[in-house]
């Protein structure tokens, strides 16, 4: 190689390295800035300032620990054609997801839009004044209520909406915020595999259980009815009591929890550095406590690996360091805010609302068609990761927290990222095993109806109703405060807690 070519290669590497660092720092700030907004506007200054300092400390540690790739890797990652196609595909799916209210929105958007309304239209921290003696006041247990939810995702859009004095502006901004988040996930996926290949992105969008078969068998065996999915109604939890969600379903329903945890999980799995685990958990918990439990369980597996490789002393010294402790201290006020919420049910073993026979049959169908199908990618190299993932998918959905199936559905979000990575690795490394590769391809094809159902429902409900310039289909609540007059009462204690002003340590010394 001539000196000129060598200099050109070095210059190109510097350019790619700079661009890579800018994107990674941008992803970190994408996650951290909403947390900083939350800390500053919700908690007293002597609490918020040191907590924000802890978040900034985490940022500098993260920046310092960025591991760059080689020039060969960067050339494969920054494939302009594939990145452009991926960005257009993601833009189209983001429209279909209902983000910004531009197309049909799924039912979960009712509460998401209500949170955004209250954040835009009310003073921070958001408090509700109920009529004394009203059914709302009696249900909450106080004449005043406090918005106590995973608010981080909504705060950038709410900030823009407050400045513009417009919920519509906030909602449109949330469309772009969601788009940038998914693009960040796409980049981290391509970066992880050191190549931007569209088939990798398609696997990410397709991977889930074989829900269409599970749905049909569940009804055939239990109800003696041969019912095929209509490709419009919600399909990703066909067994009601047991299931986990696919990537596209999370995007279309619980984006506020899924996208941050995808980003954090991919950041952790890229280097698996346990001395940065505290930073990653501090980014995950304000967005998604249940999925953060799944991420913690993935980290726990890495702890056991380190224990075997380096011994207990070195492992725990690596864990108990300032890089881990300080960032977590920064989100303690937010965790205390969560603790104000009351729930009718704590963590319990799943309670069958059907006969034990039906319960057992549904669970067996779930295991066969949702979980054990991933045994097809099992190899000597990946058996630890795959079996651990299957173990988590087997047992996490057996537990309920707060009376519903959300615990199992949410804690498995990062587990699906783990399995997705192993599926792609299997495709990349096991080319000689043609029969298993074809078996995997068939499973992925049979998984596609779940994602297609999400897309088809959006198209069907958008274009079979009179079109409007700004749809916001699922925006009937307007505020969470008026829950007695809609179905939000069934989950309202996940969002609103009683506000005993100056009657406990939290409201007197921590909350503004």
């Amino acid at each position: 190689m001539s000196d000129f070519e060598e200099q050109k290669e070095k210059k190109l590497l510097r350019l790619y390295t700079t661009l890579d660092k800018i994107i990674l720092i941008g992803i970190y700030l994408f996650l951290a800035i909403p947390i900083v907004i939350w800390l500053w506007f919700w908690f007293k200054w002597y609490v918020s300032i040191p907590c924000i300092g802890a978040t900034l400390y985490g940022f500098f540690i993260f920046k310092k620990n960025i591991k760059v790739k080689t020039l060969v890797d960067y050339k494969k990652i920054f494939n302009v054609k594939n990145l452009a196609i991926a960005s257009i595909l993601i833009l189209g799916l983001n429209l279909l997801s209902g983000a910004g209210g531009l197309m049909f929105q799924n039912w979960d958007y009712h509460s998401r839009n209500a949170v955004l309304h209250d954040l835009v239209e009310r003073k921070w921290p958001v408090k509700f004044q109920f009529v004394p003696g009203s059914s709302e006041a009696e249900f909450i247990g106080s004449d005043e209520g406090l918005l106590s939810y995973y608010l981080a995702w909504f705060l950038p859009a709410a900030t823009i909406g407050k400045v513009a004095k417009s919920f519509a502006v906030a909602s449109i901004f949330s469309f772009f915020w969601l788009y940038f988040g998914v693009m960040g996930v796409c980049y981290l996926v391509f970066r992880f595999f050191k190549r931007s290949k569209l088939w990798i992105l398609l696997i990410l969008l397709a991977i889930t259980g074989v829900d269409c078969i599970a749905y049909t068998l569940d009804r055939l065996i239990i109800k003696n009815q041969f019912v095929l999915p209509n490709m419009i109604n919600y399909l990703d939890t066909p067994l009601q009591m047991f299931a986990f969600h696919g990537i596209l379903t999370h995007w279309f329903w619980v984006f506020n929890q899924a996208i941050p945890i995808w980003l954090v999980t991919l950041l952790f799995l890229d280097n698996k550095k346990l001395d940065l685990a505290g930073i990653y958990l501090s980014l995950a918990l304000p967005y998604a406590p249940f999925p953060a439990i799944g991420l913690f369980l993935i980290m726990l597996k890495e702890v056991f690996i380190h224990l075997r490789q380096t011994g207990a002393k070195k492992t725990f010294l690596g864990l108990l360091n300032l890089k881990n402790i300080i960032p977590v201290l920064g989100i303690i006020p937010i965790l205390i805010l969560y603790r104000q919420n009351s729930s009718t049910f704590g963590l319990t073993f799943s309670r069958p609302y059907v006969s034990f026979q039906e319960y057992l049959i549904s669970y067996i169908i779930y295991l066969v068609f949702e979980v054990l199908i991933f045994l097809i990618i099992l190899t000597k190299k990946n058996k630890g990761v795959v079996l651990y993932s299957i173990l988590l998918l087997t047992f996490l959905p057996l537990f309920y927290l707060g009376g519903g199936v959300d615990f199992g559905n949410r804690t498995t979000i990062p587990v699906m990222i783990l399995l997705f990575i192993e599926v792609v690795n299997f495709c990349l490394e096991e080319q000689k095993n043609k029969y298993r590769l074809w078996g995997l391809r068939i499973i992925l094809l049979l998984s596609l109806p779940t994602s297609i159902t999400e897309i088809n429902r959006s198209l069907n409900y958008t274009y079979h109703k009179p079109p409007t310039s700004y749809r916001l289909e699922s925006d009937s609540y307007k505020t969470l405060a008026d829950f007695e007059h809609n179905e939000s009462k069934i989950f309202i204690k996940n969002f609103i807690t009683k506000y005993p002003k100056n009657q406990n340590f939290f409201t007197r010394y921590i909350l503004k």
Side-chain angles (χ1 to χ4, degrees), residues 8 12 19 27 57 97 128 143 146 154 156 165 167 172 186 203 216 233 240 288 324 336 351 399 419 459 499:
K8 186 180 178 180
L12 190 59
L19 185 57
I27 290 171
Y57 172 83
S97 75
F128 305 99
D143 292 343
L146 175 69
F154 305 96
K165 297 182 179 179
F167 171 75
I172 289 294
C186 180
I203 289 178
T216 304
N233 293 341
Q240 299 179 12
N324 270 334
I336 297 175
R351 299 175 300 283
F399 295 92
L419 273 176
L459 291 170
Y499 176 60

Side-chain angles (χ1 to χ4, degrees), residues 162-428:
K162 267 192 176 302
V163 173
K165 297 182 179 179
S166 169
F167 171 75
V169 170
S171 186
I172 289 294
F173 180 86
S174 69
F175 171 88
F176 293 101
W177 193 253
L178 185 54
Y179 176 68
F180 292 140
V182 180
M183 283 300 298
V185 172
C186 180
Y187 178 75
L188 290 179
V189 166
F190 289 161
R191 189 180 189 274
F192 183 91
F193 292 108
K194 301 175 184 178
R195 68 198 75 196
S196 56
K197 295 290 185 181
L198 295 176
W199 64 266
I200 294 177
L201 181 58
L202 292 177
I203 289 178
L204 178 68
L205 297 174
I207 191 169
T208 185
V210 185
D211 298 314
C212 58
I213 295 179
Y215 176 97
T216 304
L217 282 179
D218 189 61
R219 282 147 184 80
L220 181 63
I221 296 174
I222 293 176
K223 298 181 180 179
N224 201 27
Q225 297 174 349
F226 183 71
V227 182
L228 293 172
N230 63 10
M231 303 302 289
I232 293 177
N233 293 341
Y234 185 70
L235 178 60
D236 210 19
T237 312
L239 310 179
Q240 299 179 12
M241 293 173 289
F242 318 107
F244 54 85
H245 294 307
I247 299 297
L248 204 71
T249 302
H250 279 130
W251 182 354
F252 280 45
W253 288 81
V254 288
F255 52 88
N256 59 309
Q257 296 185 56
I259 292 170
I261 207 70
W262 292 338
L263 291 169
V264 176
T265 302
L266 285 165
L267 287 171
F268 172 72
L269 292 176
D270 189 51
N271 53 41
K272 296 182 180 178
K273 294 189 69 173
L274 291 179
D275 59 345
L276 301 181
I279 292 176
Y280 297 129
L281 286 173
S282 73
L283 292 173
L285 283 164
Y287 289 94
F290 286 1
I293 293 173
L295 176 60
F296 175 78
L297 292 173
I298 291 172
M299 291 177 172
L300 195 61
K301 177 182 179 299
E302 295 302 319
V303 170
F304 285 117
I305 291 173
H306 277 255
L307 280 170
R308 290 200 305 268
Q309 293 176 346
T310 64
K313 182 178 179 181
K314 194 171 181 179
T315 299
F316 287 110
L317 285 176
L319 287 170
L320 301 174
N321 61 68
L322 293 179
K323 288 187 287 186
N324 270 334
I325 295 170
I326 291 178
V328 173
L329 292 177
I331 63 164
I332 283 180
I334 294 172
L335 300 182
I336 297 175
L337 176 63
Y338 291 157
R339 288 291 300 162
Q340 306 307 302
N341 286 48
S342 60
S343 174
T344 308
F345 302 98
L347 183 65
T348 60
F349 196 73
S350 58
R351 299 175 300 283
Y353 300 104
V354 295
S355 68
F356 179 74
Q357 181 182 358
E358 291 183 20
Y359 180 88
L360 186 60
I361 291 171
S362 285
Y363 186 56
I364 291 171
I365 293 173
Y366 163 73
L367 289 179
V368 173
F369 293 99
E370 308 276 330
V371 180
L372 297 180
I373 54 172
F374 290 104
L375 285 173
I376 197 167
I377 64 169
L378 190 69
T379 66
K380 289 182 179 180
K381 184 178 179 180
N382 69 18
K383 66 178 182 179
V385 178
V386 172
L387 291 177
Y388 187 67
S389 300
I390 287 175
L391 186 70
L392 293 178
L393 293 178
T394 298
F395 289 104
L396 286 175
L398 288 175
F399 295 92
Y400 291 175
L401 184 61
V405 299
D406 283 355
F407 181 80
N409 286 335
R410 306 292 189 265
T411 52
T412 51
I413 292 176
V415 181
M416 288 308 298
I417 292 294
L418 204 61
L419 273 176
F420 155 71
I421 287 172
E422 294 309 319
V423 166
V424 175
N425 282 335
F426 184 84
C427 293
L428 290 171

Side-chain angles (χ1 to χ4, degrees), residues 15 82 119 127 130 164 342 345 371 424 444 486 508 512:
L15 175 63
N82 286 345
L119 287 170
K127 298 164 188 173
F130 303 119
S342 60
F345 302 98
V371 180
V424 175
L444 290 172
N486 55 56
R508 183 176 297 179
K512 276 189 176 179

